[in-house]
Amino acid sequence: TRQRPLALRDFLVFNQEFLALVKAGLPMLRCFDLLNNRTGQGGFQQALQAVRESIRGGSAISEAMAMHPIYFPELYQASLRAGEQAGNLPEVLKRYIDYLKMIIGVREKVVKATIYPLFLLGFGLLVTFGLLFFVLPSFAEVYQESRVELPWATQLLLDVTNSASQWILGIAIVLGLTGAWVYWWRTTPQGQWRIHWLFLNAPVLGPLFQKNQVIRLTRTLSTILGGGITLLSALQVTAQSMPNKVFARALNSVINHVREGSSLSAALKKEKFLPSLTLEMIEVGETTGSLETMLFEVAEFHEGELDFQLSRMMTWI
């Protein structure tokens, strides 16, 4: 069976069921038997069966899941590991479920806000293409038969359309080759980084994507630190879980600065990829010893701003 990670919503449902079974006091092997019967994805089902057998052989849950990273991300493994060590697995699962709900909610807001203008743009281009290449040629024949001198703008439009009609096959081939090259380029590390940089710096939508990543970073780091994991390990897990390569690369540099003795806020300021207000709030949290709480507040603040900007953008559209 081809392995592919679960969708976030499916993983959320899995963890909700897992938490309910753990709270019910069922033996762990029985929990995984029931979870295995409820999942419909073959690859994930096999992974759960393998996890069950590893637990049966004496492995910890996090250790067994670490053998299947495509289904159980590093953040999840680290959270369970902390819960096992502290003996509060249900509390850790609940915290992770809350984290997933927040991440899914923010992502869906951004997706909804970007799909609508993209749909309008695509539909508008399709209508324009139809007018230029199917409707306008019919009028061109009428104008030619009438032998009337046309305004320069109309004549220019007709000439451009006529030229484009003659070269449409070549244009389609060039666009196809360009699309294939871009598709290949986006699979390379440099291509991924550049595309993600373009997303963050795009006009209008760029600030939305940046806030989305800031929310994800601060929520993830707050969740991990809340599980009792050290700052350096928490940063490493957070860097691995960031989907945006610009943020992931910057966080790896932050990790090196912290490892060399720098404070978190100072290391973040050196990389210059976060808003100044975010940096100030993190510095305050670090100074007062309430970094986890302040990171949560940063995420809440940016989520409120994101809601406002999305609402305003939809009104404009």
Side-chain angles (χ1 to χ4, degrees), residues 142-151 155:
V142 174
Y143 292 144
Q144 289 173 356
E145 292 174 358
S146 64
R147 300 181 183 277
V148 176
E149 184 178 353
L150 300 175
Q155 188 62 52

Side-chain angles (χ1 to χ4, degrees), residues 132-316:
L132 289 178
F133 292 100
F134 296 100
V135 178
L136 197 59
S138 302
F139 285 97
E141 294 176 3
V142 174
Y143 292 144
Q144 289 173 356
E145 292 174 358
S146 64
R147 300 181 183 277
V148 176
E149 184 178 353
L150 300 175
W152 69 269
T154 306
Q155 188 62 52
L156 177 63
L157 182 60
L158 290 173
D159 292 341
V160 170
T161 303
N162 185 47
S163 299
S165 300
Q166 296 174 2
W167 293 94
I168 189 168
L169 181 60
I171 294 172
I173 292 174
V174 171
L175 290 176
L177 291 174
T178 303
W181 180 82
V182 171
Y183 181 80
W184 167 82
W185 184 61
R186 65 184 288 272
T187 62
T188 64
Q190 184 59 33
Q192 288 179 344
W193 188 91
R194 179 57 61 183
I195 289 172
H196 289 172
W197 183 89
L198 289 173
F199 271 115
L200 293 177
N201 292 274
V204 182
L205 295 178
L208 302 182
F209 291 127
Q210 186 181 46
K211 286 190 183 299
N212 182 30
Q213 293 304 309
V214 172
I215 292 168
R216 179 155 191 153
L217 187 157
T218 50
R219 283 210 187 282
T220 302
L221 195 54
S222 174
T223 300
I224 301 174
L225 291 174
I229 300 174
T230 61
L231 176 61
L232 199 57
S233 297
L235 286 170
Q236 291 171 340
V237 175
T238 303
Q240 292 175 3
S241 68
M242 291 303 295
N244 187 282
K245 300 302 179 183
V246 176
F247 272 67
R249 184 183 293 185
L251 273 178
N252 284 323
S253 298
V254 168
I255 291 169
N256 292 330
H257 295 317
V258 172
R259 189 179 283 121
E260 292 169 358
S262 177
S263 66
L264 175 61
S265 55
L268 290 171
K269 285 180 179 179
K270 288 178 184 178
E271 294 306 312
K272 301 177 181 178
F273 69 107
L274 293 178
S276 57
L277 180 59
T278 300
L279 294 172
E280 294 298 327
M281 293 176 72
I282 291 175
E283 186 175 12
V284 170
E286 197 172 26
T287 304
T288 59
S290 56
L291 181 59
E292 175 201 340
T293 303
M294 187 57 73
L295 286 168
F296 184 83
E297 293 297 329
V298 170
E300 290 286 308
F301 169 76
H302 282 294
E303 192 167 343
E305 279 203 328
L306 182 64
D307 286 340
F308 173 73
Q309 290 183 355
L310 290 176
S311 175
R312 184 172 59 181
M313 188 179 74
M314 293 302 290
T315 302
W316 288 345

Side-chain angles (χ1 to χ4, degrees), residues 12-48:
L12 172 62
V13 172
F14 163 77
N15 279 285
Q16 288 174 327
E17 294 174 347
F18 188 21
L19 176 60
L21 294 174
V22 171
K23 280 187 172 181
L26 295 177
M28 198 54 64
L29 293 179
R30 179 58 179 159
C31 289
F32 277 92
D33 282 335
L34 293 172
L35 291 169
N36 195 13
N37 292 332
R38 290 186 60 81
T39 184
Q41 184 178 326
F44 187 58
Q45 198 170 38
Q46 292 174 8
L48 285 179

